[in-house]
Amino acid sequence: MSVKIAPSILAADFAAFGAEIEAVEAQGADWVHVDVMDGHFVPNLTFGPDMCRALRPHIKTVMDVHLMIAPVDPYIAAFAEAGADILTAHVEAGPHIHRTLQAIRAAGCRPGVALNPGTPAEAVRPVLDLVDLVCVMTVNPGFGGQSFIESAIPKVAQLRDWGCPDLHIEIDGGVSASNARRLVDAGADVLVAGSSVFRGGSVADPAPYGENIRAIRTAATSVSV
């Protein structure tokens, strides 16, 4: 599968989300990643369904909504109605991940399952037939700008080795041009990048967004030597 770059709006200008999304898509973003945090499952509070609904008209690509919340099930319908294309729930967020993923599919969204850095790949193996995407966290969820956790890379390779050719493996946390090639070599095809995309640019000067996206994509798709 082709490598997709999914800028996380957590690193964008909160006062200009609509314009930021339009700018980053115009500069080459493949997906737009929306980090939903509840201040309970993770130590931060960000967006709810109403914010996603407000963002939806500005997103022309894929609205990739990462639910870092617990419980998940009571909010699936609201995020689906807000326009999410992909809804990703954490395997650690509740005791009935099968039910959660089935409910996401039934609501009309593509289901994803996420793994925290300390959770082994085996935790999601029983549900791979229910998901379109596995999100491997390469930082501890809750805040942007953290350092990449190298020990997650073998987890990516393990997931890809289980032989699901149509499964998206997404990396979330600390992605940059310096590690993109190793992630893709391990089996990732969706790279979530926040500060490494939005750094240096703005709505008034979006060209750096394109430069940053191209740098990550070029690094990710370059031939290994």
Side-chain angles (χ1 to χ4, degrees):
M1 292 183 284
S2 62
V3 175
K4 295 171 177 59
I5 310 299
S8 168
I9 62 168
L10 193 63
D13 180 355
F14 277 35
F17 271 146
E20 287 275 54
I21 288 167
E22 292 172 7
V24 81
E25 285 191 332
Q27 291 294 325
D30 300 295
W31 294 2
V32 174
H33 189 82
V34 182
D35 289 304
V36 176
M37 305 180 188
D38 64 357
H40 166 68
F41 180 67
V42 295
N44 200 359
L45 187 65
T46 58
F47 321 117
D50 286 344
M51 175 63 80
C52 290
R53 184 176 294 106
L55 298 177
R56 179 70 263 188
H58 300 277
I59 298 174
K60 307 305 180 189
T61 57
V62 171
M63 188 177 190
D64 176 30
V65 179
H66 180 186
L67 299 177
M68 289 172 270
I69 66 175
V72 177
D73 293 11
Y75 301 97
I76 291 171
F79 281 102
E81 290 166 3
D85 294 303
I86 300 170
L87 271 182
T88 296
H90 273 257
V91 69
E92 307 91 355
H96 305 297
I97 190 62
H98 283 82
R99 180 183 301 162
T100 298
L101 296 171
Q102 290 166 344
I104 291 171
R105 180 86 68 187
C109 297
R110 297 159 63 188
V113 63
L115 290 160
N116 282 334
T119 303
E122 287 83 358
V124 300
R125 191 169 189 177
V127 299
L128 290 182
D129 61 331
L130 299 178
V131 300
D132 291 356
L133 176 147
V134 176
C135 176
V136 177
M137 295 300 301
T138 44
V139 298
N140 287 298
F143 296 95
Q146 298 182 64
S147 297
F148 181 82
I149 297 175
E150 294 281 343
S151 59
I153 294 180
K155 190 186 301 185
V156 178
Q158 188 174 14
L159 287 163
R160 187 58 75 196
D161 285 346
W162 284 335
C164 301
D166 297 327
L167 179 71
H168 289 300
I169 299 180
E170 179 177 77
I171 306 300
D172 188 355
V175 171
S176 68
S178 66
N179 55 31
R181 179 70 256 179
R182 288 181 292 135
L183 293 168
V184 172
D185 282 346
D189 68 292
V190 182
L191 304 179
V192 175
S195 56
S196 61
V197 165
F198 286 98
R199 183 182 295 115
S202 66
V203 169
D205 179 23
Y209 298 165
E211 295 167 4
N212 296 335
I213 289 170
R214 287 190 293 276
I216 295 170
R217 196 186 307 278
T218 298
T221 56
S222 62
V223 177
S224 298
V225 295

